[in-house]
Amino acid sequence: MLISSQETLPSGLNGHAIASSAQMPFEDLPPELRAKVYAYAFSGSATNITIGKENLSAQRLSSLNQGKVCRGDAALLLVNRLVYSEAKHPLYDNREFVFASMQDFNRWIPQIAENVQFIQHLTIGRSPPGLLKQCYELLRRATSLKSFQVTFSYAVKGTLKKHLDEHWEVAKTYFVGDGVSREEGKRRVDLVTFGVGSSQKSVLNDDETVLKALTADHQAVCHKWFKIWVERYKDD
């Protein structure tokens, strides 16, 4: 991979001395300058990447950017092993991956193998109960995760507390499994935002009316119960 000395460079690069020859190997740039190039290459990418049945292929992440192709394209990752190893983190950095359903999430995440560790923000739509356990098992590999939004199951009908009970029983290994301390379990609870689908009618208020959206107070209740269960489990 070569860079021409006549090309317009990203801000922060022009002040550095570059060989006067017509071209120079990109790999000869200092690592901190290559990092600036990667950041610039992906700076035109959409911040939300929506993934559904039509684009589950992990071969070209740029095609997932809601119709807006990354500047430089994700094909940059195919240049060589050095570029791939250095550029893949900026591609994931501070982007939210939005999945229409948990099935889509569970199918796509294994395709990106160890790169799941770079995902920072996740939103998952429709959540069948049979897939929730696998989802949380996959999340254990997302070590850079900063936020995670998950929709309550459509198959369970009941109050918010009932949904929390059902959710905890399936997901608890993520919060209190082997190697997860009490403090880490609570930290993981704080990453989660619970939600209800736009057409979902299975989450009920105490008076059995449909709960159409979760407020900040509802989220606080969800987190309170999950942290209580983390404490109880770790005390047992």
Side-chain angles (χ1 to χ4, degrees), residues 215-228:
T215 65
D217 288 341
H218 290 127
Q219 297 295 339
V221 169
C222 294
H223 286 187
K224 181 193 75 172
W225 276 110
F226 265 55
K227 288 182 179 181
I228 287 173

Side-chain angles (χ1 to χ4, degrees), residues 25-53:
F26 176 74
E27 293 81 354
D28 286 352
L29 287 173
E32 61 271 20
L33 296 191
R34 294 200 299 270
K36 289 181 179 290
V37 172
Y38 302 139
Y40 177 76
F42 298 126
S43 62
S45 302
T47 55
N48 289 350
I49 298 178
T50 301
I51 301 173
K53 293 179 180 178

Side-chain angles (χ1 to χ4, degrees), residues 4 8 22 95 136 160 170 172 177-178 182 211 226-227 230:
S4 168
T8 301
R95 288 184 175 79
Y136 276 98
L160 179 61
V170 178
K172 61 185 178 184
D178 292 342
R182 178 185 282 105
L211 184 57
F226 265 55
K227 288 182 179 181
V230 168

Side-chain angles (χ1 to χ4, degrees), residues 31-185:
E32 61 271 20
L33 296 191
R34 294 200 299 270
K36 289 181 179 290
V37 172
Y38 302 139
Y40 177 76
F42 298 126
S43 62
S45 302
T47 55
N48 289 350
I49 298 178
T50 301
I51 301 173
K53 293 179 180 178
E54 71 283 356
N55 57 14
L56 279 174
S57 172
Q59 294 178 8
R60 295 192 68 191
L61 286 176
S62 64
S63 66
L64 308 181
N65 284 299
Q66 297 184 332
K68 187 174 183 181
V69 177
C70 295
R71 184 184 302 144
D73 195 12
L76 176 64
L77 301 180
L78 303 178
V79 171
N80 58 37
R81 290 185 178 181
L82 174 66
V83 172
Y84 174 79
S85 65
E86 293 181 339
K88 61 184 179 181
H89 187 277
L91 180 59
Y92 288 89
D93 193 36
N94 287 322
R95 288 184 175 79
E96 181 176 6
F97 287 75
V98 181
F99 293 84
S101 72
M102 193 163 286
Q103 183 178 19
D104 294 337
F105 173 82
N106 289 358
R107 289 175 57 195
W108 190 77
I109 290 299
Q111 294 184 47
I112 63 171
E114 74 278 1
N115 291 331
V116 67
Q117 68 182 298
F118 300 120
I119 291 181
Q120 299 178 5
H121 305 283
L122 277 173
T123 294
I124 299 179
R126 198 176 186 94
S127 306
L131 300 177
L132 191 60
K133 184 175 181 179
Q134 181 188 3
C135 169
Y136 276 98
E137 288 175 350
L138 292 170
L139 279 181
R140 292 171 69 96
R141 295 155 50 188
T143 54
S144 300
L145 197 62
K146 296 180 179 179
S147 68
F148 169 52
Q149 181 170 324
V150 61
T151 302
F152 283 127
S153 173
Y154 281 68
V156 177
K157 187 170 185 178
T159 62
L160 179 61
K161 179 59 166 54
K162 181 177 180 179
H163 277 270
L164 289 172
D165 288 337
E166 297 280 348
H167 202 97
W168 170 259
E169 285 304 313
V170 178
K172 61 185 178 184
T173 55
Y174 176 72
F175 301 99
V176 294
D178 292 342
V180 182
S181 67
R182 178 185 282 105
E183 292 71 24
E184 173 61 14

Side-chain angles (χ1 to χ4, degrees), residues 1-22:
M1 182 178 179
L2 300 174
I3 288 183
S4 168
S5 60
Q6 302 301 316
E7 291 181 27
T8 301
L9 297 174
S11 176
L13 295 184
N14 287 319
H16 294 271
I18 294 180
S20 59
S21 58

Side-chain angles (χ1 to χ4, degrees), residues 172-199:
K172 61 185 178 184
T173 55
Y174 176 72
F175 301 99
V176 294
D178 292 342
V180 182
S181 67
R182 178 185 282 105
E183 292 71 24
E184 173 61 14
K186 291 182 178 179
R187 187 193 71 83
R188 292 184 179 187
V189 170
D190 287 332
L191 301 181
V192 183
T193 299
F194 296 95
V196 295
S198 58
S199 61

